[in-house]
Amino acid sequence: MIRNHQYVRHLLTLSPGAPATAHGWVKTRRDSKGVIFIQINDGSCFADLQIVFEAGSIPEEVLSKVTTGACVCVSGAMVASPGKGQSVELRGEALELLGAAPPETYPLQKKKHTLETLREFGHFRTRSNTFGAVFRVRNALSFAIHRFFQENGFLYVHTPILTTSDAEGAGAMFQVTTLDLMNLPRKPQSSAIDFSTDFFSHPAYLTVSGQLEAEIFALAFTNVYTFGPTFRAENSNTPRHLAEFWMIEPEMAFCDLDGNQELAEAFLKYLITYLMDHCRQDLEFFNQRYEPNLLATLDNVASSEFARIPYSEAVRILEQSGRPWEFPVYWGADLQSEHERYLTEVTFRKPVIVTGYPKSIKAFYMRANDDGRTVRAMDVLAPGIGEIIGGSQREERLDVLREKIREHNLPEEHYWWYLDLRRHGSAPHAGFGLGFERLMMYVTGMKNIRDVIPFPRTPGHAEF
Ligand code: ATP
Ligand code: MN
């Protein structure tokens, strides 16, 4: 370790008699029968450390400030704990108050708060049981993602966040400019804005996806992945959409749609197994507090084969369901959340991969099938969430790709380098995008995407 710091996680594994120094934030304090009990947490694990002092051993003017939220440093020795819930506790000898948290103003007192209230205190919600668990899982999941790809020989590539290609129409984009908004330069004899004087001499945006750039790397490094922030200016106030979210995008050369599905399934199973092995306490908490079927569902996903069905079959199932759909179902319609959830929650009761969507509802770069009306697209649907992964085999044939760019009414000149990749050393390749926060919702059972990202950005909200 870099610094000789004793985390609570580590202290809780020590044997009685071991000297210990603990740092953390007070969860609760109570004084009972001549003993002072202080619970602290330092974020290193779900469990709090119980600290006991003899009454009178802490000066009253200090003790009165040891309230919920205060930061303390306590040294003493570990002893066997007679109380239930922990096998050892810290017998305090000296307490230093590092930072008081006056109860009149500290917003997170002991009583339970709703997740909505906690969101307003984004600078303190991190100290609650729920968000402690959420962000430990988020950390472990990030690590597991890198580990999976690194173990499988994938190259990690950083695709740009600022982009001048209004590329693939994945979603509405945030424009980035240094132009004076009060005094926009205009083109001569026209009301059009003259972007030649803007920072990049061109309109610029925050990226909605790193896929197209990842393809450049796949066609040189074979297997690559991105894991970074993406932005969508979609004005959809749903529990599943953020304006800023993180995406994982693997891209594989010499890979078709079958290989893509195999990777998606193996990847999700690996991540869930990793969390079950490394975040057990946190997952048990989610299971007990938020989603009673969580552990069973995760076990099920890790051990069962994902269902795989063609889009046409999905449409047939939905048409025959007898449900009164809000959005009509017919061949050619995009699947809406209600349809996706029906397939995965009612029909199959496990993750489902739907492939072969109509070309009219999918992006231009997806590989055309020989039937002339479908493309090699795949969506992975998960119970409780709907789509968590969207991917495809990419069109590697120059003539077909140019035709599709025309069909989608996109300007060919914007895609000059993308087309160039098909002119020089083209190869079959495939990949997908996984919304990191959607996955976080899935593995924690949290129902609102705002509660699985440290600082949510949604229409009208970008605090902290
Ligand atoms: P949706 O239909 O749910 O809006 P999408 O079709 O726009 O999703 P893609 O463009 O395929 O999604 O993006 C890839 C993945 O990124 C999705 O499968 C999803 O997991 C995630 N994702 C997309 N939009 C958002 C968002 N606004 N906030 C969080 N995650 C998102
Ligand atoms: Mn969308």
Side-chain angles (χ1 to χ4, degrees):
M1 202 160 53
I2 296 168
R3 185 163 74 91
N4 188 21
H5 181 88
Q6 294 182 302
Y7 291 105
V8 165
R9 183 182 60 225
H10 167 66
L11 294 177
L12 289 172
T13 66
L14 295 180
S15 305
T21 300
H23 297 76
W25 291 267
V26 174
K27 276 277 171 65
T28 59
R29 186 195 104 209
R30 71 195 160 82
D31 306 337
S32 162
K33 302 186 188 121
V35 185
I36 304 163
F37 294 93
I38 305 168
Q39 307 272 138
I40 68 164
N41 190 282
D42 69 351
S44 64
C45 61
F46 187 82
D48 298 331
L49 175 67
Q50 173 153 288
I51 303 171
V52 291
F53 275 95
E54 259 170 54
S57 61
I58 303 174
E60 187 48 40
E61 70 272 19
V62 175
L63 185 61
S64 66
K65 293 188 175 125
V66 179
T67 55
T68 300
C71 188
V72 296
C73 169
V74 175
S75 49
M78 301 308 293
V79 295
S81 174
K84 56 177 172 14
Q86 65 274 319
S87 59
V88 288
E89 60 191 27
L90 173 59
R91 198 178 162 73
E93 284 152 23
L95 179 145
E96 185 186 352
L97 179 71
L98 298 175
E104 316 83 73
T105 49
Y106 186 64
L108 302 191
Q109 296 305 324
K110 218 177 123 186
K111 75 175 179 71
K112 283 219 169 73
H113 300 276
T114 64
L115 295 170
E116 289 75 20
T117 308
L118 286 170
R119 242 174 261 147
E120 291 166 25
F121 300 106
H123 53 322
F124 291 131
R125 71 172 182 171
T126 40
R127 295 181 194 167
S128 64
N129 285 335
T130 294
F131 289 96
V134 165
F135 295 124
R136 275 187 301 277
V137 169
R138 192 176 164 110
N139 169 68
L141 194 55
S142 306
F143 179 73
I145 286 164
H146 284 295
R147 204 172 93 163
F148 174 85
F149 286 123
Q150 295 295 326
E151 282 176 2
N152 285 289
F154 283 61
L155 182 106
Y156 180 33
V157 50
H158 299 107
T159 50
I161 290 168
L162 285 170
T163 171
T164 53
S165 59
D166 50 0
E168 42 134 348
M173 302 181 94
F174 285 100
Q175 189 161 358
V176 178
T177 182
T178 53
L179 292 178
D180 177 1
L181 297 182
M182 299 299 286
N183 191 14
L184 290 169
R186 303 285 169 178
K187 288 192 174 152
Q189 276 106 46
S190 128
S191 60
I193 297 168
D194 179 8
F195 283 101
S196 66
T197 59
D198 201 353
F199 193 88
F200 297 108
S201 308
H202 200 281
Y205 306 89
L206 295 178
T207 186
V208 291
S209 160
Q211 178 201 316
L212 302 191
E213 289 90 348
E215 286 183 51
I216 296 178
F217 272 68
L219 293 175
F221 296 91
T222 308
N223 290 326
V224 305
Y225 69 107
T226 71
F227 182 10
T230 49
F231 307 85
R232 301 214 178 157
E234 46 197 7
N235 201 357
S236 42
N237 248 310
T238 79
R240 305 177 304 117
H241 288 92
L242 291 163
E244 175 180 302
F245 64 99
W246 286 62
M247 190 136 70
I248 300 118
E249 295 178 284
E251 193 67 37
M252 297 166 285
F254 322 116
C255 182
D256 60 13
L257 195 61
D258 285 332
N260 211 15
Q261 293 179 76
E262 263 167 48
L263 183 84
E265 181 167 347
F267 180 49
L268 289 174
K269 287 179 170 171
Y270 179 96
L271 297 179
I272 287 170
T273 306
Y274 183 90
L275 292 181
M276 297 286 245
D277 290 346
H278 292 84
C279 299
R280 195 77 204 182
Q281 273 193 325
D282 293 321
L283 295 181
E284 277 167 6
F285 165 76
F286 291 122
N287 192 78
Q288 174 237 315
R289 178 75 169 275
Y290 291 104
E291 175 55 68
N293 289 321
L294 183 67
L295 292 173
T297 306
L298 293 180
D299 261 334
N300 178 17
V301 172
S303 60
S304 63
E305 297 231 322
F306 291 12
R308 297 185 187 191
I309 54 165
Y311 167 86
S312 314
E313 174 70 19
V315 169
R316 191 155 52 238
I317 292 171
L318 295 166
E319 280 175 339
Q320 289 171 359
S321 70
R323 294 263 169 142
W325 300 115
E326 187 187 343
F327 296 92
V329 175
Y330 54 93
W331 200 98
D334 202 359
L335 299 185
Q336 302 295 327
S337 189
E338 56 173 343
H339 310 134
E340 296 174 340
R341 295 185 59 166
Y342 180 85
L343 291 170
T344 178
E345 288 165 29
V346 181
T347 310
F348 292 99
R349 298 175 170 278
K350 59 181 180 179
V352 181
I353 310 182
V354 181
T355 54
Y357 284 80
K359 65 177 182 179
S360 56
I361 56 170
K362 288 293 183 185
F364 75 93
Y365 51 70
M366 297 192 179
R367 193 181 189 288
N369 277 320
D370 293 340
D371 64 12
R373 56 180 203 157
T374 62
V375 289
R376 293 188 190 165
M378 67 170 202
D379 279 1
V380 181
L381 316 178
I385 311 254
E387 177 188 336
I388 54 171
I389 286 180
S392 67
Q393 186 176 331
R394 320 305 188 188
E395 186 55 73
E396 83 282 14
R397 299 164 297 181
L398 177 64
D399 50 334
V400 182
L401 186 59
R402 292 181 70 177
E403 183 51 38
K404 295 189 70 182
I405 288 177
R406 253 194 304 281
E407 276 176 21
H408 279 80
N409 290 318
L410 296 167
E412 193 178 308
E413 61 277 15
H414 281 191
Y415 299 96
W416 65 272
W417 55 264
Y418 197 68
L419 289 164
D420 239 7
L421 291 172
R422 275 74 181 166
R423 287 188 186 100
H424 311 283
S426 191
H429 61 291
F432 60 77
L434 165 63
F436 185 52
E437 286 76 19
R438 297 271 175 96
L439 180 63
M440 274 295 295
M441 291 173 74
Y442 190 53
V443 300
T444 59
M446 299 297 283
K447 301 292 182 286
N448 194 312
I449 199 165
R450 294 162 181 78
D451 296 326
V452 296
I453 188 164
F455 304 104
R457 273 85 180 88
T458 53
H461 294 281
E463 278 80 40
F464 309 104

